[in-house]
Amino acid sequence: MHRVRLAALLVAAALLPAPASLAGQASAPSVRSDPTGFHLAAHLAGAAITYEGDGEAESGGGAGLALGWGVNRTVTLFLEAAGANVEMADFDDTYTLAHVDLGVRLNFRGPQAKALPYLTLAYSGRAAEMDLDGDPFTITGAAPSFGGGVLVFLSRSAALDVGLRWTVGSFSEAEYQGEKADIDISATSARFDLGIAWWAGR
């Protein structure tokens, strides 16, 4: 009889932790978003630019690619390149407008949130290139960029990325037929991005 009671007590002791453990697992919050680690992103982009002294914006569509590293949930470092084919306001012609950004993204909200709003700050190189009598005419410059957007996680490894960014500053150099000259043309450019970001190793 004593052996039966001892066996029953041992069985009960073995079973008791199991429900408690299961309850703990069930109550633990699930991770719905994780911006940490290395990611790649590709997006379609709409771009517009307004030059100093000209109130009419010139705009067009394009695409871009980005590499990023999520240091933690809040801070993501990124390198992005994007280009757009922009229509001239006063002529029936187009030119290429390109941006290269080196910056930081600040993400908000916790791991239970599926959508993560963010702010971006970057140092950007800009270039506008058009064909002039068969030769490329290019103006370039560097300027700060700022903006924001939202990541909507579709799974642990993929997210929809929607963002808006402005670049303010001046073009400082012009080049034509191998000759370079210093210039000072202030311009404000804006970009709207819609794409997919993918985190490796998940």
Side-chain angles (χ1 to χ4, degrees), residues 73-157:
R73 282 198 61 83
T74 303
V75 178
T76 297
L77 306 177
F78 68 89
L79 175 64
E80 181 175 328
N85 196 37
V86 173
E87 296 184 4
M88 295 183 183
D90 300 324
F91 302 95
D92 185 19
D93 204 352
T94 62
Y95 62 93
T96 300
L97 178 64
H99 294 79
V100 177
D101 304 315
L102 178 62
V104 59
R105 185 173 70 210
L106 304 177
N107 307 298
F108 301 93
R109 304 183 70 184
Q112 293 77 42
K114 184 177 180 179
L116 301 185
Y118 63 79
L119 296 176
T120 57
L121 296 172
Y123 188 67
S124 305
R126 288 190 298 188
E129 182 176 295
M130 65 189 70
D131 181 80
L132 189 61
D133 296 329
D135 292 311
F137 172 74
T138 307
I139 57 175
T140 57
S145 294
F146 62 92
V150 62
L151 288 169
V152 181
F153 277 78
L154 309 175
S155 67
R156 285 184 57 84
S157 60

Side-chain angles (χ1 to χ4, degrees), residues 48-58 95 97-99 124 126-128 139-146 165-172 183-191:
I49 187 167
T50 303
Y51 296 93
E52 180 183 21
D54 187 356
E56 190 170 357
E58 298 177 337
Y95 62 93
L97 178 64
H99 294 79
S124 305
R126 288 190 298 188
I139 57 175
T140 57
S145 294
F146 62 92
R165 197 173 310 168
W166 291 268
T167 303
V168 293
S170 299
F171 290 94
S172 57
I183 59 173
D184 186 10
I185 302 176
S186 296
T188 299
S189 53
R191 288 165 285 162

Side-chain angles (χ1 to χ4, degrees), residues 9 14 28 40 44 67 122 129 165 176 187 199:
L9 289 173
L40 301 171
L44 298 176
L67 302 175
E129 182 176 295
R165 197 173 310 168
Y176 181 63
W199 277 258

Side-chain angles (χ1 to χ4, degrees), residues 36-47:
T36 62
F38 176 75
H39 77 271
L40 301 171
H43 59 260
L44 298 176

